[in-house]
Amino acid sequence: MIKLVTLDLWDTLVTDSKSNERKRDLLRTDFIIRTLNLMEDYKAKILDYFEELVESFKHPGEENEWALLPETQLLHLFKEIDACPDVEQFKKILTFYTGCILDKLPVLTEEGVPEVLKTLKEKYKLALISNTGRTPGKVLRRLLKKLGILDYFDMLIFSDEVKMRKPEPKIFLIACEAFHVLSEETVHVGDSMLIDFNGALSAKVNPVLYLPNGNPPATPFVKSLFELKDSMGKYYDKN
Ligand SMILES: [Mg+2]
């Protein structure tokens, strides 16, 4: 019997256009250049760094441990471009870097996300498990609140706060332990085959792949979150 459903955040519940993220990167870059009085030719270097950073988010591992926290992402950047901000400058940059998502919000992947969460919550405990990038859990809570989905969750697990990232098996078991639920009584839903589906499997949690477009590489999958309850019933929650 399934008792707990954990959900991924990015591209499962919430999504953002590439152009939005690019705009934010330009704003972050300009802010860093202004705050540190750097020459304009640093702009390309910083933007290149952001592109590499986004790639490293897709393959979390020991080799890019520095990408786990916004603070260490910035320290890594400053080392690469040979910049030495003082404590005040660093704080100012960090605040802008982590908070600028709130000025132009991402959107829900499907209009009915709140309705889906409400229905799931009637039957299951709900937890969010999110690998964070430039925006930490502290800011993501405010974002979830603004999008109207914060209160559906019994627990929020952000990688920057628990200092581990999916697909590490341990991160999938935090909510199980908190609610005294077995991994086999848990379903994890997410859009990434590597990070969500295989990660959940490695923790013996039942995976469901969220795949709105394209050919499914694995089963079970759903093309809409509205299919989730039926899919879970068919594959995992038979009673
Ligand atoms: Mg995702």
Side-chain angles (χ1 to χ4, degrees):
M1 188 178 160
I2 298 301
K3 296 180 180 167
L4 166 67
V5 178
T6 64
L7 296 118
D8 165 53
L9 176 63
W10 291 107
D11 295 322
T12 297
L13 299 178
V14 158
T15 190
D16 201 8
S17 70
K18 267 211 156 149
S19 64
N20 257 354
E21 195 51 46
R22 174 81 185 168
K23 273 181 211 155
R24 270 183 227 119
D25 277 348
L26 286 167
L27 290 172
R28 288 178 178 118
T29 304
D30 286 342
F31 191 87
I32 291 169
I33 288 182
R34 268 203 322 276
T35 308
L36 300 183
N37 273 322
L38 299 173
M39 310 272 281
E40 273 297 309
D41 57 358
Y42 275 84
K43 194 166 179 166
K45 284 186 205 167
I46 299 175
L47 285 169
D48 280 351
Y49 172 81
F50 287 149
E51 260 178 48
E52 280 167 34
L53 183 61
V54 170
E55 278 311 302
S56 81
F57 291 150
K58 293 178 193 161
H59 306 279
E62 270 173 36
E63 71 292 349
N64 56 29
E65 197 69 32
W66 53 267
L68 177 62
L69 303 175
E71 289 85 339
T72 48
Q73 292 161 18
L74 283 175
L75 286 172
H76 197 79
L77 165 69
F78 295 140
K79 203 170 142 200
E80 291 226 333
I81 62 169
D82 244 334
C84 301
D86 62 32
V87 176
E88 278 312 306
Q89 288 170 326
F90 189 86
K91 267 199 222 160
K92 252 176 91 176
I93 291 171
L94 183 65
T95 304
F96 187 87
Y97 181 81
T98 53
C100 73
I101 202 165
L102 295 172
D103 291 332
K104 183 131 184 56
L105 291 182
V107 292
L108 297 172
T109 49
E110 297 179 47
E111 222 176 282
V113 166
E115 197 184 326
V116 170
L117 294 176
K118 186 170 178 261
T119 310
L120 289 174
K121 196 174 165 61
E122 285 163 10
K123 197 168 172 198
Y124 309 106
K125 286 265 181 214
L126 293 188
L128 183 86
I129 309 180
S130 175
N131 280 4
T132 58
R134 283 162 279 194
T135 308
K138 194 171 74 177
V139 178
L140 288 172
R141 282 187 176 76
R142 292 169 61 195
L143 186 145
L144 293 174
K145 177 112 187 150
K146 278 177 187 261
L147 293 175
I149 56 172
L150 177 71
D151 295 337
Y152 294 111
F153 292 100
D154 299 290
M155 188 175 202
L156 300 163
I157 299 157
F158 294 111
S159 61
D160 67 304
E161 295 178 354
V162 296
K163 309 280 190 297
M164 50 179 126
R165 295 178 285 189
K166 294 179 286 183
E168 267 183 72
K170 277 194 291 184
I171 196 169
F172 292 94
L173 301 174
I174 295 174
C176 297
E177 280 162 24
F179 298 123
H180 308 288
V181 169
L182 300 172
S183 61
E184 51 267 42
E185 297 170 325
T186 305
V187 166
H188 177 73
V189 188
D191 67 295
S192 165
M193 195 61 207
L194 169 78
I195 291 175
D196 296 298
F197 197 96
N198 290 341
L201 274 182
S202 70
K204 298 194 167 57
V205 165
N206 302 296
V208 175
L209 187 68
Y210 177 57
L211 191 85
N213 305 300
N215 292 326
T219 306
F221 66 90
V222 290
K223 294 217 164 267
S224 159
L225 295 169
F226 281 96
E227 298 166 16
L228 199 53
K229 222 175 157 193
D230 282 351
S231 177
M232 282 168 43
K234 184 174 162 195
Y235 288 95
Y236 302 127
D237 202 10
K238 295 188 174 132
N239 332 14

